[in-house]
Every structure is written in C-alpha cells, then in structure tokens.
Amino acid sequence: MKIFFKVVLILVAIAIWTWATIIEPYFIIDYDYVKMSSPNWSKNLNGLKVAIVTDIHYAGGAIENWRIDNIIKKTNDAKPDIIVLLGDYVQAGSRRNINLDFLSNRLKRLSAPLGVYAIFGNHDSYFARNLVRDMLAKADIVVLENSNAKVSTPNGDFYLSAIADMTTQNHFYTLAFKNIPQNAPTLFLSHTPDGFKDSPDSAKITFSGHTHGGQIKLPYIGAIFVNLKYDKIGEGKFERDGKVLYVSRGLGTSRVPVRLLCSPTITIATISKE
C-alpha cells in the first residue's frame, strides 16, 4: 500500500507540474467580463467595450510565437471598441530569444474601431524601453506616458490618461491629466495598481495589470504572492473614495514560469454612466 500511495503522489505531482508549466500558461486564455461605471461618463457612450491586454511577457521561441498569435486572435474575436495594452510586452530575462520584429508585426494585427493604445511596464524598462517604444511605433500603436489622448467617437469624446511605470520611471499625475476638461469622461491607465492610491478624483475608472493575479492560487487561500506596495489586490475590482480600479490578471508569467488556477486572461470591460 505504501508503494501505491507513493506512485499516486508522484503521478499527481507530475500532473500538477504539467498543468502549471505547460497547459495553463500556454494553452488557455480566458475572457474576464466586467462592468465599470462612473458619474463622469457620458450616457451617449454607454456600452463602450474596452479590451485590456496586459503582461504578455513575450520570451521568444516557437511556442511563444504561437501564444502571441493566440492572444491576438482572442483579443480581436472579442470585437472591442478600443484596445488598451498595459505594459510588460517582453520578458526582460529572455533578451537573446526575443524577436521584436515578430512581436511588432503581430501587435499590428490588433483591430478595434477606436484604435489601440499602450503604456509601459517595468519589464519594458528592464529590457530596453526605447526598443520597446520603437516596436510599438512600428505596430502603429499610440503610446501614453505621463500623457493623455482624446478619443473621438460618433457618440461623443472621451479621454485616455496614463502615468509612466511607477517602478522604473518618474510618474506625474498632473501631466497625465493636463488639458483634460473637468469632469470629462476619462479612463485612467497605470501598469501597477499602486498608481490608484494617489490618483486624482478625476480618475474615476482605472485599469491596471502587473500582478498576474498572483500566478499561483490555492483553494481557500487565494494568491500566495502579490507584488504590490500598497493595496494587496491581485485581481478584480476595488473601490475607494468614489473611484474604482480593475486589475487584470494578464497573460504571461515572470520570475516563476508557472500559472496554477490563475489562467491567462483578457479583460473585457463595458463602461457606462452610474
């Protein structure tokens, strides 16, 4: 009986290892649907669908190339009105294998009527932020960094506002919201959820990534590690002082290349007025 139980434990361990290192990180992409509302949002813009794609952590190689193709297809299949990319496009420790031309070519295939916008994450700086910036430019993606952009639609205008990555760059809320009219409908982007703590009142809706949802979640315990300074929110919705934050668990891995009960996810947010 002792041999039987040992064999069972070994088989279970192999199954968990296979799932966490191969199947879940590479062969599963879920949609995470969320409804967000703001008193500053325009009723004319109700129902705006935003795809949040974050923490791709592309490392290069054949299986990674296949994963990127799958991410692009799943994002476009959701038919969002606008796509926002929240940083960490590359895995900083995999410099030798990364093909930025391939990544640029694939990101250029993202399609949404109102365009594709991007911010930087910490791994982009660890890798080489200027190279990542060039990669995004070749993909015709608008980059926001301590800046904002007005997005015009047939039903009215709204703004995207973003600070630079808090971990690796100087970030300035004043620049991120410069020239945005008071109470204008605005979506605020910060790679790390820590940007929510001191965001201005005009940042009624914030989207972030960075946490990967913890990557490893245990039943009844949840995420075993969340890499944040302030609010330890690994994923999901968080409200404070009339503002709301949504943290997407994202698509890639870092540090430990595993995902367990924390599948790669594209967040689809529908925005409306309260």
Side-chain angles (χ1 to χ4, degrees):
M1 291 297 291
K2 287 184 178 180
I3 293 177
F4 172 78
F5 283 118
K6 286 181 180 180
V7 170
V8 169
L9 287 175
I10 290 171
L11 292 176
V12 169
I14 291 173
I16 292 174
W17 180 87
T18 301
W19 180 270
T21 61
I22 299 174
I23 297 175
E24 189 165 327
Y26 288 102
F27 292 93
I28 295 177
I29 298 178
D30 288 331
Y31 291 122
D32 178 25
Y33 295 96
V34 59
K35 293 182 179 180
M36 305 285 280
S37 60
S38 161
N40 292 351
W41 199 250
S42 169
K43 287 185 178 179
N44 293 334
L45 294 169
N46 278 357
L48 182 84
K49 185 190 289 188
V50 184
I52 295 97
V53 178
T54 186
D55 299 279
I56 293 172
H57 285 277
Y58 172 62
I63 193 169
E64 280 284 289
N65 291 350
W66 179 86
R67 184 174 70 92
I68 296 299
D69 283 337
N70 199 21
I71 289 170
I72 303 305
K73 182 181 184 304
K74 290 280 286 189
T75 303
N76 288 339
D77 284 351
K79 300 188 183 306
D81 297 309
I82 191 169
I83 299 170
V84 294
L85 312 178
L86 299 187
D88 280 1
Y89 308 99
V90 292
Q91 184 70 286
S94 301
R95 177 182 293 271
R96 293 180 180 178
N97 298 324
I98 290 175
N99 183 341
L100 287 180
D101 288 335
F102 170 86
L103 186 57
S104 177
N105 176 273
R106 292 310 191 267
L107 291 178
K108 193 171 185 175
R109 298 179 184 181
L110 289 170
S111 178
L114 300 180
V116 183
Y117 293 79
I119 64 175
F120 292 116
N122 52 303
H123 272 257
D124 303 318
S125 290
Y126 300 153
F127 179 83
R129 195 159 53 103
N130 288 338
L131 294 180
V132 176
R133 186 188 298 276
D134 290 344
M135 181 274 295
L136 293 169
K138 290 177 181 177
D140 298 326
I141 294 172
V142 178
V143 175
L144 300 176
E145 187 177 28
N146 292 324
S147 61
N148 59 74
K150 181 169 73 171
V151 182
S152 296
T153 84
N155 298 318
D157 302 334
F158 67 96
Y159 289 83
L160 291 177
S161 168
I163 54 171
D165 173 57
M166 296 180 69
T167 305
T168 59
Q169 304 296 319
N170 293 323
H171 61 283
F172 302 98
Y173 294 98
T174 53
L175 294 179
F177 285 86
K178 186 177 181 180
N179 297 327
I180 296 181
Q182 187 174 7
N183 297 323
T186 303
L187 303 177
F188 178 55
L189 312 177
S190 170
H191 175 68
T192 169
D194 286 334
F196 182 63
K197 178 177 179 288
D198 296 316
S199 63
D201 290 339
S202 50
K204 296 297 185 184
I205 296 177
T206 299
F207 292 115
S208 295
H210 183 64
T211 67
H212 306 182
Q215 284 190 199
I216 299 173
K217 296 173 69 176
L218 301 179
Y220 307 107
I221 296 175
I224 62 174
F225 178 73
V226 178
N227 185 25
L228 297 175
K229 279 186 180 181
Y230 305 113
D231 302 307
K232 302 301 182 182
I233 177 170
E235 63 175 300
K237 188 182 290 189
F238 185 78
E239 297 185 42
R240 174 191 286 148
D241 300 329
K243 301 180 294 183
V244 60
L245 161 72
Y246 197 87
V247 183
S248 175
R249 73 171 68 150
L251 292 151
T253 64
S254 66
R255 297 191 181 188
V256 180
V258 301
R259 275 189 180 265
L260 181 62
L261 304 181
C262 190
S263 57
T265 297
I266 298 166
T267 296
I268 306 296
T270 303
I271 316 297
S272 64
K273 187 177 180 66
E274 287 184 345

